[in-house]
PDB file of all heavy atoms in Angstrom:
ATOM      1  N   PHE A  43     -25.875  93.999  -9.970  1.00  0.00           N
ATOM      2  CA  PHE A  43     -26.304  93.080  -8.913  1.00  0.00           C
ATOM      3  C   PHE A  43     -27.659  93.525  -8.383  1.00  0.00           C
ATOM      4  O   PHE A  43     -28.005  94.716  -8.427  1.00  0.00           O
ATOM      5  CB  PHE A  43     -25.281  93.060  -7.772  1.00  0.00           C
ATOM      6  CG  PHE A  43     -23.902  92.677  -8.208  1.00  0.00           C
ATOM      7  CD1 PHE A  43     -22.990  93.641  -8.646  1.00  0.00           C
ATOM      8  CD2 PHE A  43     -23.506  91.351  -8.207  1.00  0.00           C
ATOM      9  CE1 PHE A  43     -21.722  93.298  -9.051  1.00  0.00           C
ATOM     10  CE2 PHE A  43     -22.227  90.994  -8.613  1.00  0.00           C
ATOM     11  CZ  PHE A  43     -21.337  91.965  -9.038  1.00  0.00           C
ATOM     12  N   THR A  45     -28.745  93.348  -5.220  1.00  0.00           N
ATOM     13  CA  THR A  45     -28.625  94.062  -3.945  1.00  0.00           C
ATOM     14  C   THR A  45     -27.178  94.443  -3.698  1.00  0.00           C
ATOM     15  O   THR A  45     -26.253  93.888  -4.322  1.00  0.00           O
ATOM     16  CB  THR A  45     -29.115  93.192  -2.764  1.00  0.00           C
ATOM     17  OG1 THR A  45     -28.259  92.043  -2.644  1.00  0.00           O
ATOM     18  CG2 THR A  45     -30.552  92.730  -2.968  1.00  0.00           C
ATOM     19  N   LEU A  46     -26.975  95.379  -2.791  1.00  0.00           N
ATOM     20  CA  LEU A  46     -25.626  95.776  -2.411  1.00  0.00           C
ATOM     21  C   LEU A  46     -24.899  94.627  -1.722  1.00  0.00           C
ATOM     22  O   LEU A  46     -23.679  94.464  -1.885  1.00  0.00           O
ATOM     23  CB  LEU A  46     -25.696  97.000  -1.483  1.00  0.00           C
ATOM     24  CG  LEU A  46     -24.363  97.553  -0.969  1.00  0.00           C
ATOM     25  CD1 LEU A  46     -23.507  98.045  -2.138  1.00  0.00           C
ATOM     26  CD2 LEU A  46     -24.604  98.683   0.023  1.00  0.00           C
ATOM     27  N   GLU A  47     -25.639  93.819  -0.970  1.00  0.00           N
ATOM     28  CA  GLU A  47     -25.036  92.681  -0.287  1.00  0.00           C
ATOM     29  C   GLU A  47     -24.472  91.672  -1.291  1.00  0.00           C
ATOM     30  O   GLU A  47     -23.401  91.091  -1.085  1.00  0.00           O
ATOM     31  CB  GLU A  47     -26.064  91.987   0.623  1.00  0.00           C
ATOM     32  CG  GLU A  47     -26.453  92.771   1.861  1.00  0.00           C
ATOM     33  CD  GLU A  47     -27.369  93.936   1.541  1.00  0.00           C
ATOM     34  OE1 GLU A  47     -27.954  93.953   0.431  1.00  0.00           O
ATOM     35  OE2 GLU A  47     -27.487  94.849   2.381  1.00  0.00           O
ATOM     36  N   ASP A  48     -25.183  91.480  -2.411  1.00  0.00           N
ATOM     37  CA  ASP A  48     -24.695  90.561  -3.448  1.00  0.00           C
ATOM     38  C   ASP A  48     -23.386  91.068  -4.042  1.00  0.00           C
ATOM     39  O   ASP A  48     -22.463  90.285  -4.316  1.00  0.00           O
ATOM     40  CB  ASP A  48     -25.742  90.400  -4.547  1.00  0.00           C
ATOM     41  CG  ASP A  48     -26.950  89.600  -4.085  1.00  0.00           C
ATOM     42  OD1 ASP A  48     -26.823  88.908  -3.055  1.00  0.00           O
ATOM     43  OD2 ASP A  48     -28.005  89.678  -4.738  1.00  0.00           O
ATOM     44  N   ALA A  49     -23.302  92.371  -4.265  1.00  0.00           N
ATOM     45  CA  ALA A  49     -22.076  92.941  -4.827  1.00  0.00           C
ATOM     46  C   ALA A  49     -20.910  92.766  -3.861  1.00  0.00           C
ATOM     47  O   ALA A  49     -19.795  92.392  -4.264  1.00  0.00           O
ATOM     48  CB  ALA A  49     -22.290  94.421  -5.134  1.00  0.00           C
ATOM     49  N   GLY A  50     -21.154  93.049  -2.572  1.00  0.00           N
ATOM     50  CA  GLY A  50     -20.090  92.878  -1.597  1.00  0.00           C
ATOM     51  C   GLY A  50     -19.653  91.434  -1.464  1.00  0.00           C
ATOM     52  O   GLY A  50     -18.460  91.140  -1.337  1.00  0.00           O
ATOM     53  N   LYS A  51     -20.616  90.506  -1.526  1.00  0.00           N
ATOM     54  CA  LYS A  51     -20.288  89.080  -1.434  1.00  0.00           C
ATOM     55  C   LYS A  51     -19.474  88.636  -2.646  1.00  0.00           C
ATOM     56  O   LYS A  51     -18.529  87.844  -2.516  1.00  0.00           O
ATOM     57  CB  LYS A  51     -21.575  88.269  -1.330  1.00  0.00           C
ATOM     58  CG  LYS A  51     -21.336  86.775  -1.141  1.00  0.00           C
ATOM     59  CD  LYS A  51     -22.659  86.034  -0.991  1.00  0.00           C
ATOM     60  CE  LYS A  51     -22.416  84.544  -0.811  1.00  0.00           C
ATOM     61  NZ  LYS A  51     -23.699  83.798  -0.679  1.00  0.00           N
ATOM     62  N   PHE A  52     -19.803  89.154  -3.827  1.00  0.00           N
ATOM     63  CA  PHE A  52     -19.061  88.800  -5.037  1.00  0.00           C
ATOM     64  C   PHE A  52     -17.600  89.233  -4.917  1.00  0.00           C
ATOM     65  O   PHE A  52     -16.681  88.475  -5.252  1.00  0.00           O
ATOM     66  CB  PHE A  52     -19.712  89.457  -6.260  1.00  0.00           C
ATOM     67  CG  PHE A  52     -18.990  89.196  -7.549  1.00  0.00           C
ATOM     68  CD1 PHE A  52     -19.179  88.023  -8.249  1.00  0.00           C
ATOM     69  CD2 PHE A  52     -18.087  90.135  -8.056  1.00  0.00           C
ATOM     70  CE1 PHE A  52     -18.499  87.783  -9.432  1.00  0.00           C
ATOM     71  CE2 PHE A  52     -17.400  89.905  -9.241  1.00  0.00           C
ATOM     72  CZ  PHE A  52     -17.611  88.721  -9.930  1.00  0.00           C
ATOM     73  N   TYR A  53     -17.377  90.450  -4.427  1.00  0.00           N
ATOM     74  CA  TYR A  53     -16.002  90.946  -4.304  1.00  0.00           C
ATOM     75  C   TYR A  53     -15.235  90.171  -3.219  1.00  0.00           C
ATOM     76  O   TYR A  53     -14.040  89.918  -3.355  1.00  0.00           O
ATOM     77  CB  TYR A  53     -16.019  92.440  -3.986  1.00  0.00           C
ATOM     78  CG  TYR A  53     -14.667  93.109  -4.149  1.00  0.00           C
ATOM     79  CD1 TYR A  53     -13.877  92.878  -5.270  1.00  0.00           C
ATOM     80  CD2 TYR A  53     -14.182  93.977  -3.175  1.00  0.00           C
ATOM     81  CE1 TYR A  53     -12.643  93.495  -5.425  1.00  0.00           C
ATOM     82  CE2 TYR A  53     -12.945  94.602  -3.317  1.00  0.00           C
ATOM     83  CZ  TYR A  53     -12.182  94.351  -4.443  1.00  0.00           C
ATOM     84  OH  TYR A  53     -10.950  94.955  -4.590  1.00  0.00           O
ATOM     85  N   ARG A  54     -15.922  89.769  -2.161  1.00  0.00           N
ATOM     86  CA  ARG A  54     -15.258  88.973  -1.122  1.00  0.00           C
ATOM     87  C   ARG A  54     -14.853  87.601  -1.658  1.00  0.00           C
ATOM     88  O   ARG A  54     -13.773  87.096  -1.334  1.00  0.00           O
ATOM     89  CB  ARG A  54     -16.184  88.808   0.093  1.00  0.00           C
ATOM     90  CG  ARG A  54     -16.326  90.064   0.934  1.00  0.00           C
ATOM     91  CD  ARG A  54     -16.957  89.752   2.278  1.00  0.00           C
ATOM     92  NE  ARG A  54     -18.299  89.190   2.160  1.00  0.00           N
ATOM     93  CZ  ARG A  54     -19.403  89.898   2.084  1.00  0.00           C
ATOM     94  NH1 ARG A  54     -19.339  91.228   2.090  1.00  0.00           N
ATOM     95  NH2 ARG A  54     -20.594  89.311   2.004  1.00  0.00           N
ATOM     96  N   ASN A  55     -15.710  87.013  -2.489  1.00  0.00           N
ATOM     97  CA  ASN A  55     -15.365  85.712  -3.080  1.00  0.00           C
ATOM     98  C   ASN A  55     -14.155  85.841  -4.000  1.00  0.00           C
ATOM     99  O   ASN A  55     -13.288  84.959  -4.039  1.00  0.00           O
ATOM    100  CB  ASN A  55     -16.558  85.152  -3.850  1.00  0.00           C
ATOM    101  CG  ASN A  55     -17.691  84.727  -2.926  1.00  0.00           C
ATOM    102  OD1 ASN A  55     -17.463  84.446  -1.744  1.00  0.00           O
ATOM    103  ND2 ASN A  55     -18.911  84.684  -3.452  1.00  0.00           N
ATOM    104  N   TYR A  56     -14.119  86.934  -4.756  1.00  0.00           N
ATOM    105  CA  TYR A  56     -12.948  87.177  -5.605  1.00  0.00           C
ATOM    106  C   TYR A  56     -11.696  87.358  -4.752  1.00  0.00           C
ATOM    107  O   TYR A  56     -10.628  86.814  -5.057  1.00  0.00           O
ATOM    108  CB  TYR A  56     -13.177  88.417  -6.470  1.00  0.00           C
ATOM    109  CG  TYR A  56     -11.898  88.960  -7.075  1.00  0.00           C
ATOM    110  CD1 TYR A  56     -11.236  88.285  -8.109  1.00  0.00           C
ATOM    111  CD2 TYR A  56     -11.336  90.147  -6.593  1.00  0.00           C
ATOM    112  CE1 TYR A  56     -10.053  88.777  -8.642  1.00  0.00           C
ATOM    113  CE2 TYR A  56     -10.161  90.648  -7.124  1.00  0.00           C
ATOM    114  CZ  TYR A  56      -9.510  89.963  -8.145  1.00  0.00           C
ATOM    115  OH  TYR A  56      -8.345  90.449  -8.665  1.00  0.00           O
ATOM    116  N   ALA A  57     -11.833  88.115  -3.644  1.00  0.00           N
ATOM    117  CA  ALA A  57     -10.682  88.351  -2.774  1.00  0.00           C
ATOM    118  C   ALA A  57     -10.160  87.048  -2.186  1.00  0.00           C
ATOM    119  O   ALA A  57      -8.947  86.835  -2.085  1.00  0.00           O
ATOM    120  CB  ALA A  57     -11.070  89.322  -1.651  1.00  0.00           C
ATOM    121  N   THR A  64     -10.994  92.165   2.086  1.00  0.00           N
ATOM    122  CA  THR A  64     -11.554  93.476   1.748  1.00  0.00           C
ATOM    123  C   THR A  64     -12.153  94.140   2.987  1.00  0.00           C
ATOM    124  O   THR A  64     -12.335  93.507   4.027  1.00  0.00           O
ATOM    125  CB  THR A  64     -12.661  93.329   0.687  1.00  0.00           C
ATOM    126  OG1 THR A  64     -13.770  92.639   1.265  1.00  0.00           O
ATOM    127  CG2 THR A  64     -12.160  92.567  -0.525  1.00  0.00           C
ATOM    128  N   VAL A  66     -15.057  97.704   3.786  1.00  0.00           N
ATOM    129  CA  VAL A  66     -15.838  98.830   3.272  1.00  0.00           C
ATOM    130  C   VAL A  66     -15.154 100.105   3.735  1.00  0.00           C
ATOM    131  O   VAL A  66     -15.095 100.402   4.926  1.00  0.00           O
ATOM    132  CB  VAL A  66     -17.290  98.777   3.778  1.00  0.00           C
ATOM    133  CG1 VAL A  66     -18.063 100.003   3.296  1.00  0.00           C
ATOM    134  CG2 VAL A  66     -17.976  97.495   3.314  1.00  0.00           C
ATOM    135  N   GLN A  79     -21.020 102.966  -2.560  1.00  0.00           N
ATOM    136  CA  GLN A  79     -20.126 102.369  -1.570  1.00  0.00           C
ATOM    137  C   GLN A  79     -18.780 102.057  -2.212  1.00  0.00           C
ATOM    138  O   GLN A  79     -18.706 101.614  -3.360  1.00  0.00           O
ATOM    139  CB  GLN A  79     -20.742 101.086  -0.998  1.00  0.00           C
ATOM    140  CG  GLN A  79     -20.022 100.544   0.225  1.00  0.00           C
ATOM    141  CD  GLN A  79     -20.778  99.391   0.858  1.00  0.00           C
ATOM    142  OE1 GLN A  79     -20.635  98.258   0.412  1.00  0.00           O
ATOM    143  NE2 GLN A  79     -21.589  99.691   1.877  1.00  0.00           N
ATOM    144  N   ILE A  81     -15.455  99.760  -1.729  1.00  0.00           N
ATOM    145  CA  ILE A  81     -14.885  98.588  -1.066  1.00  0.00           C
ATOM    146  C   ILE A  81     -13.441  98.452  -1.531  1.00  0.00           C
ATOM    147  O   ILE A  81     -13.172  98.407  -2.737  1.00  0.00           O
ATOM    148  CB  ILE A  81     -15.671  97.311  -1.395  1.00  0.00           C
ATOM    149  CG1 ILE A  81     -17.153  97.501  -1.071  1.00  0.00           C
ATOM    150  CG2 ILE A  81     -15.119  96.129  -0.605  1.00  0.00           C
ATOM    151  CD1 ILE A  81     -18.022  96.307  -1.428  1.00  0.00           C
ATOM    152  N   ILE A 111     -13.134  98.453  -5.591  1.00  0.00           N
ATOM    153  CA  ILE A 111     -14.256  98.574  -6.525  1.00  0.00           C
ATOM    154  C   ILE A 111     -15.179  99.663  -5.995  1.00  0.00           C
ATOM    155  O   ILE A 111     -15.261  99.885  -4.777  1.00  0.00           O
ATOM    156  CB  ILE A 111     -15.045  97.258  -6.721  1.00  0.00           C
ATOM    157  CG1 ILE A 111     -15.713  96.826  -5.400  1.00  0.00           C
ATOM    158  CG2 ILE A 111     -14.177  96.159  -7.283  1.00  0.00           C
ATOM    159  CD1 ILE A 111     -16.692  95.682  -5.580  1.00  0.00           C
ATOM    160  N   ILE A 113     -19.164 100.955  -6.179  1.00  0.00           N
ATOM    161  CA  ILE A 113     -20.506 100.497  -6.529  1.00  0.00           C
ATOM    162  C   ILE A 113     -21.487 101.634  -6.274  1.00  0.00           C
ATOM    163  O   ILE A 113     -21.402 102.311  -5.244  1.00  0.00           O
ATOM    164  CB  ILE A 113     -20.917  99.275  -5.677  1.00  0.00           C
ATOM    165  CG1 ILE A 113     -19.796  98.233  -5.651  1.00  0.00           C
ATOM    166  CG2 ILE A 113     -22.209  98.655  -6.182  1.00  0.00           C
ATOM    167  CD1 ILE A 113     -19.972  97.183  -4.587  1.00  0.00           C
ATOM    168  N   TRP A 122     -27.685  97.521  -8.576  1.00  0.00           N
ATOM    169  CA  TRP A 122     -26.398  98.098  -8.220  1.00  0.00           C
ATOM    170  C   TRP A 122     -25.378  97.737  -9.288  1.00  0.00           C
ATOM    171  O   TRP A 122     -25.373  96.616  -9.796  1.00  0.00           O
ATOM    172  CB  TRP A 122     -25.937  97.572  -6.855  1.00  0.00           C
ATOM    173  CG  TRP A 122     -26.848  97.995  -5.729  1.00  0.00           C
ATOM    174  CD1 TRP A 122     -28.020  97.420  -5.376  1.00  0.00           C
ATOM    175  CD2 TRP A 122     -26.652  99.102  -4.855  1.00  0.00           C
ATOM    176  NE1 TRP A 122     -28.594  98.083  -4.327  1.00  0.00           N
ATOM    177  CE2 TRP A 122     -27.765  99.137  -3.976  1.00  0.00           C
ATOM    178  CE3 TRP A 122     -25.677 100.077  -4.721  1.00  0.00           C
ATOM    179  CZ2 TRP A 122     -27.910 100.088  -2.991  1.00  0.00           C
ATOM    180  CZ3 TRP A 122     -25.809 101.026  -3.728  1.00  0.00           C
ATOM    181  CH2 TRP A 122     -26.921 101.032  -2.873  1.00  0.00           C
ATOM    182  N   ILE A 124     -21.187  98.106 -10.754  1.00  0.00           N
ATOM    183  CA  ILE A 124     -19.777  98.426 -10.508  1.00  0.00           C
ATOM    184  C   ILE A 124     -19.344  99.462 -11.534  1.00  0.00           C
ATOM    185  O   ILE A 124     -19.374  99.209 -12.738  1.00  0.00           O
ATOM    186  CB  ILE A 124     -18.897  97.172 -10.613  1.00  0.00           C
ATOM    187  CG1 ILE A 124     -19.299  96.141  -9.543  1.00  0.00           C
ATOM    188  CG2 ILE A 124     -17.420  97.529 -10.466  1.00  0.00           C
ATOM    189  CD1 ILE A 124     -18.483  94.851  -9.607  1.00  0.00           C
ATOM    190  N   GLN A 145     -11.376  87.800   7.501  1.00  0.00           N
ATOM    191  CA  GLN A 145     -12.598  87.894   6.705  1.00  0.00           C
ATOM    192  C   GLN A 145     -13.012  86.552   6.124  1.00  0.00           C
ATOM    193  O   GLN A 145     -14.208  86.282   5.958  1.00  0.00           O
ATOM    194  CB  GLN A 145     -12.393  88.907   5.574  1.00  0.00           C
ATOM    195  CG  GLN A 145     -13.649  89.155   4.759  1.00  0.00           C
ATOM    196  CD  GLN A 145     -13.410  90.123   3.624  1.00  0.00           C
ATOM    197  OE1 GLN A 145     -12.640  89.835   2.702  1.00  0.00           O
ATOM    198  NE2 GLN A 145     -14.044  91.290   3.692  1.00  0.00           N
TER     199      GLN A 145
END
Side-chain angles (χ1 to χ4, degrees):
F43 302 89
T45 64
L46 180 62
E47 289 74 17
D48 289 343
K51 184 178 180 181
F52 178 82
Y53 193 46
R54 286 194 299 273
N55 290 337
Y56 164 72
T64 67
V66 177
Q79 191 172 84
I81 306 177
I111 64 170
I113 313 166
W122 296 81
I124 298 179
Q145 185 182 64

